[in-house]
Amino acid sequence: MGRYKRLGQELKWLPGECAYCNATGKVTSEMLSKISIDNMYLTTNITQDERQKLINNDSDALKRAAYYEMEVNDFIKQVEYLYFTANLNVDAIVEFYLIAKTEPEISPSEKENFIDYIERIIEHKKANYN
């Protein structure tokens, strides 16, 4: 968890293999010169093709990266607003976001991960801004 905190990515990166080094433990000079170490879009969830496009500064990939970062930051702000300003509890926030989802669309483990993420957003805000 140390690298998440050091890079300010506690709420933006999930645990798992390092996407920057592609889980090799070594970073190429090409990566260092082309991609910021705290790039939110560079995750293990994107395809190898998309990863290479990002490394090559493909304009469409860069747009997708900017859009992804904006979406994540907006989601975090929305959760903070719903909890701290609208005074909704975690269960109400989860239901708000999942209202259109049906059981086959989201598994119990996915829902638990979502609840955990919302709780982490709230705890991060409490720890860093109160």
Side-chain angles (χ1 to χ4, degrees):
M1 186 68 94
R3 69 179 175 265
Y4 307 131
K5 190 169 191 100
R6 183 178 71 242
L7 295 172
Q9 301 297 322
E10 300 96 329
L11 300 175
K12 298 168 186 173
W13 287 347
L14 298 174
E17 295 178 342
C18 174
Y20 197 72
C21 72
N22 209 18
T24 64
K26 297 178 183 175
V27 179
T28 66
S29 58
E30 178 185 31
M31 283 296 286
L32 292 172
S33 67
K34 292 187 174 185
I35 304 284
S36 171
I37 193 166
D38 61 353
N39 185 300
M40 289 173 49
Y41 186 60
L42 184 63
T43 67
T44 55
N45 295 341
I46 62 174
T47 65
Q48 276 299 115
D49 185 50
E50 182 72 355
R51 183 179 194 279
Q52 195 58 51
K53 287 178 181 178
L54 192 61
I55 293 168
N56 293 336
N57 289 313
D58 175 81
S59 63
D60 290 334
L62 293 172
K63 287 176 189 173
R64 286 187 291 274
Y67 184 75
Y68 176 78
E69 184 170 351
M70 182 186 70
E71 278 187 322
V72 171
N73 288 330
D74 285 349
F75 179 78
I76 291 168
K77 288 176 189 173
Q78 289 169 14
V79 169
E80 290 172 347
Y81 175 84
L82 291 170
Y83 185 83
F84 292 101
T85 304
N87 296 315
L88 296 181
N89 64 28
V90 172
D91 292 334
I93 295 169
V94 170
E95 292 308 313
F96 171 78
Y97 283 105
L98 300 182
I99 198 163
K101 304 283 184 196
T102 59
E103 286 302 317
E105 290 180 89
I106 185 163
S107 71
S109 65
E110 288 173 316
K111 186 173 181 177
E112 282 301 314
N113 288 339
F114 190 58
I115 291 168
D116 178 60
Y117 183 53
I118 289 172
E119 289 173 342
R120 285 190 299 123
I121 291 170
I122 293 164
E123 290 307 312
H124 182 265
K125 173 79 172 182
K126 285 179 180 177
N128 291 294
Y129 301 103
N130 286 335

